[in-house]
Structures are given as C-alpha cells and as structure tokens.
Amino acid sequence: MSRKFFVGGNWKMNGDKKSLGELIQTMNGGKVDPNVEVVCGAPSIYLDFARSKLDAKFGVAAQNCYKVPKGAFTGEISPAMIKDCGVNWVILGHSERRHVFGESDELIGQKTAHALENGLGVIACIGEKLDEREGGITEKVVFAQTKVIADNVKDWSKVVLAYEPVWAIGTGKTASPQQAQEVHEKLRDWLKTNVSEAVANSVRIIYGGSVTGGTCKELASQKDVDGFLVGGASLKPEFIEIINAKA
C-alpha cells in the first residue's frame, strides 16, 4: 500500500511577520511535488497569519495544545481554538515539550486523544536521548512512548508518527539513513503486533533530526521513511528541496 509522503516544517519559536511572510511567499511561489503532503508548524500567535497567507495546498499545524476544550488554563490553547483559526493539525510530544517543559507520556497521550476527538490531525513525536541509545535501550524507550500514543488513538488515518532521535535534533548530527530505517522498520513491526497489520502498513512514520537539503534524498529512499519533520531547515528556502526529496 502506498503511503503519501509527508513533510512537516516545525518553525518552533522562530520568526516574525516579516520573515515568516517572506518564507511563505517563497513556499507559495516554489515548485513543489504535488504528491507530497506539506504541513507547517507555526507559533500559536501566528497560526491565523500563516493560515491566511499560505497557499491552500499547504497545511498548518499548531506546535502544541491542551487536553480540554476551554477553561482556567492560562497560556494554553485548545484544539477547538486551533480549528477556529482554520488549522487542522497539531504537533504533540515533541522532545522539547518532553525534556524542556517536562511533559509526561501520560499527558501527551491525553492531549492526543482530545486533539483527535476534536478532528485535528496529530503529528505524534517519539525518540530516544543519547544516553538511551548508547545504553542500548532505544527500542524500549520508543516502544513505550508509542504505546501511550496508540492507547489513545481510535482513527489512525489522522495520525503521523514522527521518530526524532533527541541526540540528532538541532545538533547537526543526523541518524544515518540505515539507523533511521532500522527504527522505522521496528516501529512498523510494533504496530503490526500491537495495533493491526492494516495500520502498520498505512500509517506514515516520518523522520526528524537535522534533516537538510543535503541529507534528505538518501533518507527519503529508505523503505519505511515516509517523510520528515524538519526544524531549522524549514525556515530556509531549502525546505522546498526537502519537500521534493522523492521527486
């Protein structure tokens, strides 16, 4: 079964109306592979701006959300608010949310359930830290993270799984295409065993961690790598090159 290639750009806490406006112009004017689903993760304060300026062929994602529709949760945003801005995706469980802001597996699972119930697509992030990889427990860590997400998913068609080895995010170190493929293949096997064969074959597992114009083609050629979640490079014109990695 063919899985539509998916490229997410995570702008993180970067940009202003001027620089993001220029980036959006570049993207709108760029020649992009029509067989790729592209979603840009904008800071929450710019979700409306990004959605109104970006061409309709590009999706927009929030970078986080909370687990309830509304209430006394200062500083948080809900899936209902995200949808009200015309935005259809949210990134959940990014390693910066886990390790900088202390979000637990349990909270990420609850957020995933609530976002999906409210009709958002979820880019769910998992990945091991350097000491975990060196300690030989990569599989144990990513399977445990995946299980909490899986326990909260009813409709897998709305979920993209993003494998991001924490040691490769923003460090300039990229997992080799073989390292990425190995984990992606094991994740697909885990889904086959613990969810279903149909889900394992259809769900997109994308790679994140210092993806650039230089590394994207070889990564994209791996059998179980169905796209990318791109950080820093998504703010540069080379993002177009990464979108076209399969072309």
Side-chain angles (χ1 to χ4, degrees):
M1 127 145 226
S2 77
R3 298 179 291 267
K4 188 171 189 174
F5 206 70
F6 184 102
V7 177
N10 181 8
W11 297 349
K12 305 191 180 183
M13 195 176 75
N14 290 298
D16 51 30
K17 284 188 177 174
K18 182 176 182 291
S19 65
L20 294 176
E22 287 163 4
L23 175 69
I24 288 167
Q25 266 186 314
T26 303
M27 286 186 62
N28 288 347
K31 200 170 174 326
V32 297
D33 183 343
N35 301 311
V36 177
E37 185 168 5
V38 181
V39 173
C40 294
S44 59
I45 200 163
Y46 296 134
L47 284 172
D48 229 340
F49 176 79
R51 183 60 286 168
S52 64
K53 301 276 186 198
L54 265 173
D55 212 64
K57 66 175 177 278
F58 299 117
V60 176
Q63 297 175 14
N64 194 19
C65 68
Y66 200 48
K67 62 179 181 179
V68 292
K70 62 181 195 305
F73 301 102
T74 302
E76 293 292 325
I77 60 172
S78 70
M81 293 170 176
I82 293 166
K83 291 211 59 164
D84 194 37
C85 291
V87 171
N88 295 318
W89 286 91
V90 64
I91 301 169
L92 290 173
H94 191 278
S95 70
E96 286 145 12
R97 298 304 320 167
R98 293 176 188 270
H99 303 305
V100 181
F101 298 100
E103 292 193 9
S104 66
D105 279 346
E106 185 189 19
L107 177 61
I108 291 158
Q110 291 166 339
K111 289 180 174 195
T112 299
H114 182 63
L116 290 168
E117 280 158 15
N118 283 268
L120 287 180
V122 172
I123 301 166
C125 304
I126 55 176
E128 82 285 4
K129 296 189 293 198
L130 186 58
D131 59 338
E132 293 166 336
R133 174 163 280 268
E134 287 173 346
I137 57 168
T138 294
E139 279 171 58
K140 185 177 164 219
V141 171
V142 298
F143 290 169
Q145 292 170 339
T146 306
K147 182 181 187 320
V148 181
I149 291 160
D151 287 346
N152 286 283
V153 176
K154 292 188 183 80
D155 177 7
W156 281 91
S157 69
K158 305 279 286 187
V159 178
V160 172
L161 212 48
Y163 168 61
E164 298 201 295
V166 181
W167 48 272
I169 298 174
T171 57
K173 287 182 185 158
T174 313
S176 70
Q178 295 71 30
Q179 282 174 317
Q181 167 58 25
E182 186 187 356
V183 177
H184 283 228
E185 188 176 2
K186 285 176 175 159
L187 281 166
R188 215 174 287 290
D189 285 343
W190 186 92
L191 289 168
K192 196 177 289 180
T193 307
N194 296 278
V195 183
S196 75
E197 188 157 6
V199 165
N201 291 335
S202 62
V203 80
R204 291 170 292 182
I205 306 175
I206 64 176
Y207 170 79
S210 300
V211 176
T212 64
T215 57
C216 64
K217 275 202 166 7
E218 203 189 342
L219 282 161
S221 70
Q222 304 299 309
K223 178 168 79 73
D224 289 294
V225 175
D226 302 315
F228 305 116
L229 186 56
V230 185
S234 69
L235 292 155
K236 302 174 187 161
E238 76 179 286
F239 188 49
I240 305 276
E241 260 177 82
I242 297 170
I243 293 169
N244 294 333
K246 289 284 258 197

